[in-house]
Amino acid sequence: MLPTFVRSTPDGTEKGSFLALDLGGSNFRVLLVKVSVNGKQKVEMENQIYAIPEDLMRGNGSELFDHIADCLANFLDNLGIKNKKLPLGFTFSFPCQQTELDESILVSWTKGFKASGVEGKDVVSLLRKAIKKRGDFDIDIVAVINDTVGTMMTCGYDDHHCEIGLIVGTGTNACYMEEMRNLELVEGDEGRMCVNMEWGAFGDDGALEDLRTDFDLEIDAGSLNPGKQLFEKMISGMYMGELVRLILVKMAKEKLLFQGQTTPDLLTTGHFITSYVFAIENDKFARRLHKMVRRLVPDCDVRFLRSQDGSGKGAAMVTAVAYRLATQHAERQRILDTLRLSHEQLLEVKKRMGDEMVRGLSKQHHKQASVRMLPSYVRSTPDGTEHGDFLALDLGGTNFRVLLVRVRSGKRRSVEMHNKIYGIPQETMQGTGEELFDHIVYCIADFLEYMGMKGASLPLGFTFSFPCHQTKLDQGILLKWTKGFRASGCEGEDVVMLLKDAIHRREEFDLDVVAVVNDTVGTMMTCGYEDPRCEVGLIVGTGTNACYMEEMQNVEMVEGDEGRMCVNMEWGAFGDHGELDDVCTEFDRIVDDCSNNPGKQRYEKMISGMYLGEIVRNVLLEFTAKGLLFRGKLSERLKTRGIFETKFLSQIESDRLALRQVRSILQHLGLTSSTCDDSILVKEVCSVVARRAAQLCGAGLAAVVDKIRLNRKLEHLRITVGVDGTLYKLHPHFSGIMKETVRALSPQCEVTFLQSEDGSGKGAALITAVACRIRH
């Protein structure tokens, strides 16, 4: 089971002129194979057969390769192409240990060859050396293969389903495309590689002992290599005639044939050659082989395709495929490199984020800053002395939660939560503000009744995850609706007053709305209850945002210099003033142009779950248009905006997901003819896009923690970041890459990440609890 480093079969897009050298006996062929694509792929071949004198077969190895180089020069001269540097594939049908596609060490000569100084050497290097010695032409030796692999590649050109090669002639061998994860001799788990089975040696370990007859034993004993190649000796043409002769002699001696008479010819070893057998059998071998395969593997639909052009064409096709893969790989990497960020670029992103944070905090420059740095009026994180029952309302999408949070202090310090999820009908989301807030209050009343607390009056924290301007903790002026909400009469209004008005209209209960916060601040407070060092909140899900505890003296939009206040950064808008233009790609610009808010939230569009799938889809469209993916054939579904969901990135990048499962996702997208190679490339695109997102997020976070360190004039900062969001939680590599980036860009900060398990609703209740503690 020898790796051949042939990683793909022809896909029908190969084109160009390729040389092939087919060496496997006393004659060898040199071929020129021209592959063209004009609607339909076409192959034209010219070839010349050259003899190898016996004295060179058994003489000096360098002289043998000099002769091959001379014949190659003659062939090129005859075709008038000696001045062109063409790629060449080398079929070398002797036992070799292959270490690269273009490197093969001869293990031992066979077939009458005994040229000295070749065994244990790389035959490609020897051929290159002989060509260089001549100095009058040059070629690019791309691949070296054996005849079995050549046969598979020749037939693979005519039938893209051909993934097995079989030789049954003088000798026998097979090769096939194996999954890389099963090849422990080669690094890497992705894709497939052709394996040269060298199956003629099957049985050398005794596996065929119960099948071998006295005739097989006699043939083996009289062979040049007793005990070796036992499977081959039961199958191949070199031995089949002798096997028939021994059977005939036995039958004659037992008077079962020829009236017990034998002739001198029949008694002569090797006289009954295999061609006699095939002449008598009238080519039944193939039919019997096909029938037996169908019987043994009834679940496999196996088609046999006879090679008409030999392994020389196959060597050229291996070269053509290698050239196609190399050219396509270079073009793909050129495109993907635009999505890869260097350490220096990430440092620059961190610096620019830091600069925008300072501008956003400044009264003079606040309105011009892309990062708004909005005061939240949350002045403290939990200290463990909070106590009481609190309601929380968590509104940020088509579903919202009502929670009862019971906070206990002292030795039995704990938080107990009860919650219920309610839907918001589409017509309510897009109706009037009164209808929306009446629906919310109806759900609060239902929850209180459900909890057996009808008519209770409790302090309430309101997580309201839409852009707001706050002037105090219990006031939030809605700047604009997002996430599909369009309820009229709300923008420019205080959402706390809208909620209170709806409560008064119902006249069933009264609530003390103590705090209105966004989900990022809620996440920081939730995690802050578990870890007092948590002074940063981060959301990386459908959208992205961050908040942190800033020194009051730096928050110029709010009176007072004492203590700290949590600042809601609204960092998704970073880049809206051109700060990210030099790292934006054509794919980012397409996604931005087609979005509901072109030119806005540029940082968010490069990081968050709402947009990553769309970036990947546009890269795949570009690859396909250039013929680098899916054989250049687009599916209508892949052209559909939003069809490549970000959850697919998490699924495709999962280490546990086999490539066949990746293909099933692609088939869901209408790409029914996608190949294993396509799956690998899609996985690479997902990896590059997700990695960039995690690095950009890490660069922003590095700016935040470094600012806190500098604010506090510390050499070293230990701090915890509370994190929530589906992208952070579900993507298999996002969190690790983000943490790695923060470490690299802020080495003087020791950052711990604490995942929020209870959402921002609990955080709103805790903010309310802290506010009540401070008030009392």
Side-chain angles (χ1 to χ4, degrees):
M1 305 294 282
L2 304 174
T4 66
F5 297 86
V6 172
R7 297 175 186 266
S8 179
T9 52
D11 73 351
T13 64
E14 293 79 14
K15 58 184 178 180
S17 295
F18 306 93
L19 291 168
L21 185 60
D22 189 358
L23 175 63
S26 56
N27 293 319
F28 73 98
R29 281 200 306 164
V30 183
L31 306 92
L32 175 66
V33 180
K34 295 178 181 177
V35 186
S36 57
V37 183
N38 291 316
K40 187 179 179 184
Q41 205 171 34
K42 180 182 174 186
V43 174
E44 297 174 281
M45 292 199 306
E46 295 187 57
N47 70 90
Q48 177 73 46
I49 296 175
Y50 294 90
I52 301 178
E54 193 166 331
D55 59 320
L56 288 180
M57 290 170 61
R58 299 169 180 272
N60 183 282
S62 63
E63 291 176 358
L64 170 64
F65 282 91
D66 286 346
H67 174 69
I68 294 169
D70 292 343
C71 296
L72 195 49
N74 173 262
F75 181 77
L76 297 174
D77 253 340
N78 292 342
L79 294 178
I81 55 172
K82 204 172 182 183
N83 60 336
K84 293 183 180 179
K85 185 178 180 179
L86 294 175
L88 178 140
F90 187 8
T91 302
F92 189 75
S93 301
F94 299 90
C96 286
Q97 177 66 50
Q98 203 151 351
T99 50
E100 293 291 344
L101 183 60
D102 63 346
E103 185 176 274
S104 194
I105 312 299
L106 176 65
V107 176
S108 61
W109 282 119
T110 57
K111 307 175 187 177
F113 280 76
K114 288 184 180 176
S116 62
V118 181
E119 292 181 351
K121 300 285 180 64
D122 172 25
V123 295
V124 174
S125 295
L126 293 173
L127 180 56
R128 283 176 177 150
K129 187 176 178 181
I131 292 168
K132 189 175 181 181
K133 191 194 295 185
R134 280 188 60 95
D136 59 342
F137 71 96
D138 195 12
I139 56 172
D140 181 11
I141 305 174
V142 173
V144 58
I145 60 170
N146 73 0
D147 51 354
T148 318
V149 179
T151 296
M152 182 188 78
M153 295 299 280
T154 297
C155 296
Y157 177 81
D158 297 315
D159 182 343
H160 300 318
H161 295 293
C162 183
E163 296 186 75
I164 301 173
L166 173 65
I167 298 281
V168 192
T170 308
T172 184
N173 194 15
C175 67
Y176 71 103
M177 298 300 291
E178 176 60 90
E179 303 297 320
M180 279 291 291
R181 66 178 179 273
N182 297 329
L183 284 174
E184 296 181 4
L185 295 172
V186 181
E187 291 293 319
D189 291 335
E190 301 292 351
R192 295 172 180 156
M193 181 180 286
C194 180
V195 170
N196 168 25
M197 294 180 67
E198 290 294 343
W199 78 357
F202 175 53
D204 291 4
D205 60 353
L208 295 173
E209 282 309 301
D210 56 340
L211 297 176
R212 293 174 75 212
T213 66
D214 291 342
F215 308 112
D216 296 306
L217 296 172
E218 189 172 344
I219 285 174
D220 179 45
S223 69
L224 297 173
N225 55 347
K228 304 292 183 186
Q229 300 294 104
L230 297 183
F231 190 55
E232 183 170 79
K233 287 169 184 172
M234 297 171 76
I235 289 177
S236 72
M238 182 175 283
Y239 303 97
M240 197 176 292
E242 183 62 9
L243 185 59
V244 169
R245 187 189 70 81
L246 291 174
I247 294 170
L248 294 178
V249 168
K250 174 81 169 174
M251 292 178 76
K253 285 182 177 178
E254 294 186 6
K255 298 185 179 180
L256 299 173
L257 200 63
F258 308 137
Q259 297 179 337
Q261 301 297 312
T262 59
T263 65
D265 285 345
L266 193 58
L267 295 173
T268 305
T269 300
H271 184 78
F272 201 100
I273 59 176
T274 302
S275 58
Y276 294 170
V277 179
F278 286 137
I280 295 166
E281 281 285 279
N282 194 22
D283 201 21
K284 291 180 182 175
F285 184 93
R287 289 199 299 276
R288 286 175 176 166
L289 172 65
H290 303 173
K291 187 175 179 180
M292 183 54 66
V293 170
R294 283 193 292 270
R295 182 182 295 175
L296 294 176
V297 281
D299 295 333
C300 298
D301 182 9
V302 183
R303 178 171 176 248
F304 290 83
L305 182 62
R306 186 176 291 180
S307 171
Q308 302 296 339
D309 299 306
S311 53
K313 177 183 172 184
M317 293 315 303
V318 170
T319 306
V321 168
Y323 248 62
R324 167 177 61 80
L325 293 177
T327 304
Q328 291 178 341
H329 177 76
E331 178 62 10
R332 280 191 296 266
Q333 294 314 307
R334 184 192 67 75
I335 294 169
L336 289 178
D337 280 346
T338 64
L339 289 154
R340 294 186 172 110
L341 299 174
S342 67
H343 181 72
E344 290 70 27
Q345 286 175 305
L346 291 169
L347 277 173
E348 184 60 27
V349 170
K350 174 194 169 186
K351 177 186 175 299
R352 292 175 191 175
M353 176 68 84
D355 293 344
E356 284 302 298
M357 289 170 70
V358 172
R359 282 165 58 80
L361 290 168
S362 156
K363 188 177 267 188
Q364 182 182 352
H365 300 292
H366 172 78
K367 288 186 178 177
Q368 291 80 41
S370 61
V371 182
R372 298 301 300 277
M373 305 296 283
L374 303 173
S376 72
Y377 294 86
V378 172
R379 297 173 183 267
S380 177
T381 51
D383 69 359
T385 63
E386 293 78 17
H387 192 94
D389 291 354
F390 307 92
L391 278 178
L393 187 62
D394 189 358
L395 176 64
T398 53
N399 293 318
F400 75 101
R401 286 197 304 163
V402 185
L403 305 92
L404 173 66
V405 180
R406 291 190 164 125
V407 183
R408 300 291 176 260
S409 57
K411 289 183 180 178
R412 295 192 173 185
R413 180 172 177 262
S414 65
V415 175
E416 179 188 330
M417 288 201 315
H418 304 273
N419 72 90
K420 197 171 179 183
I421 295 172
Y422 296 89
I424 302 178
Q426 186 80 9
E427 58 271 19
T428 305
M429 289 169 62
Q430 300 184 356
T432 68
E434 276 197 8
E435 289 169 346
L436 173 63
F437 281 91
D438 284 347
H439 176 70
I440 290 169
V441 170
Y442 164 79
C443 295
I444 295 172
D446 176 78
F447 178 75
L448 289 172
E449 187 170 348
Y450 169 74
M451 293 300 300
M453 300 173 67
K454 190 174 181 180
S457 180
L458 294 171
L460 179 140
F462 188 6
T463 301
F464 188 74
S465 302
F466 300 90
C468 284
H469 173 65
Q470 279 187 267
T471 53
K472 50 187 179 177
L473 184 60
D474 62 351
Q475 183 189 67
I477 309 300
L478 176 63
L479 299 177
K480 60 179 178 179
W481 282 120
T482 57
K483 307 175 189 178
F485 280 75
R486 288 182 191 165
S488 61
C490 297
E491 290 182 356
E493 299 294 329
D494 175 14
V495 295
V496 174
M497 287 307 300
L498 293 174
L499 179 61
K500 284 181 174 177
D501 289 347
I503 291 170
H504 293 150
R505 282 195 297 273
R506 191 167 181 88
E507 297 181 344
E508 237 182 69
F509 56 86
D510 196 17
L511 296 173
D512 178 15
V513 183
V514 174
V516 58
V517 297
N518 77 356
D519 51 355
T520 317
V521 180
T523 295
M524 183 189 77
M525 295 299 278
T526 298
C527 295
Y529 186 80
E530 305 296 330
D531 183 345
R533 283 204 185 93
C534 182
E535 296 185 79
V536 181
L538 173 66
I539 299 281
V540 197
T542 307
T544 183
N545 194 15
C547 68
Y548 71 102
M549 297 302 291
E550 177 60 89
E551 306 300 315
M552 276 295 294
Q553 65 195 19
N554 296 331
V555 187
E556 296 182 8
M557 302 296 292
V558 180
E559 293 294 320
D561 289 343
E562 295 299 321
R564 295 169 182 155
M565 181 180 284
C566 180
V567 170
N568 167 26
M569 293 179 66
E570 290 294 342
W571 78 357
F574 176 55
D576 289 4
H577 296 165
E579 300 91 347
L580 294 170
D581 284 359
D582 54 345
V583 294
C584 263
T585 68
E586 59 179 303
F587 310 110
D588 298 305
R589 285 185 275 276
I590 292 168
V591 169
D592 180 49
D593 290 343
C594 296
S595 70
N596 294 327
N597 55 347
K600 304 293 184 186
Q601 301 294 102
R602 300 300 297 274
Y603 189 55
E604 182 168 79
K605 287 170 184 171
M606 297 170 80
I607 288 177
S608 73
M610 183 175 280
Y611 302 98
L612 293 191
E614 195 55 13
I615 295 172
V616 168
R617 187 183 71 85
N618 279 284
V619 176
L620 300 183
L621 288 176
E622 175 77 358
F623 277 9
T624 309
K626 290 180 176 290
L628 306 174
L629 192 64
F630 308 134
R631 295 178 182 163
K633 295 172 184 173
L634 268 179
S635 77
E636 286 303 313
R637 293 201 72 190
L638 193 60
K639 294 178 187 175
T640 308
R641 188 167 157 251
I643 196 73
F644 200 102
E645 299 172 52
T646 296
K647 70 176 183 181
F648 293 152
L649 269 79
S650 299
Q651 292 170 2
I652 286 170
E653 278 214 73
S654 171
D655 295 329
R656 299 186 302 276
L657 197 66
L659 288 176
R660 65 177 176 275
Q661 291 167 291
V662 177
R663 285 178 73 178
S664 73
I665 292 172
L666 296 179
Q667 284 165 1
H668 168 73
L669 297 171
L671 299 159
T672 52
S673 60
S674 64
T675 65
C676 172
D677 290 337
D678 290 333
S679 298
I680 295 168
L681 296 174
V682 170
K683 193 169 183 177
E684 184 180 12
V685 173
C686 291
S687 173
V688 169
V689 170
R691 182 175 186 81
R692 185 188 68 155
Q695 287 178 322
L696 285 170
C697 189
L701 199 55
V704 173
V705 296
D706 248 358
K707 186 170 193 322
I708 295 171
R709 182 181 67 81
L710 294 171
N711 282 347
R712 299 176 189 179
K713 299 179 174 60
L714 297 172
E715 279 295 314
H716 186 82
L717 172 72
R718 289 182 66 193
I719 196 164
T720 297
V721 177
V723 197
D724 203 354
T726 50
L727 186 60
Y728 181 88
K729 288 180 175 179
L730 300 181
H731 191 280
H733 307 302
F734 188 97
S735 62
I737 295 166
M738 186 188 76
K739 292 172 188 176
E740 174 189 295
T741 305
V742 174
R743 277 195 301 272
L745 300 183
S746 296
Q748 291 168 276
C749 299
E750 184 184 328
V751 184
T752 302
F753 291 83
L754 182 59
Q755 192 166 297
S756 170
E757 300 299 340
D758 300 307
S760 52
K762 176 181 173 183
L766 287 167
I767 289 168
T768 304
V770 170
C772 289
R773 167 174 61 80
I774 293 171
R775 183 197 290 171
H776 293 147

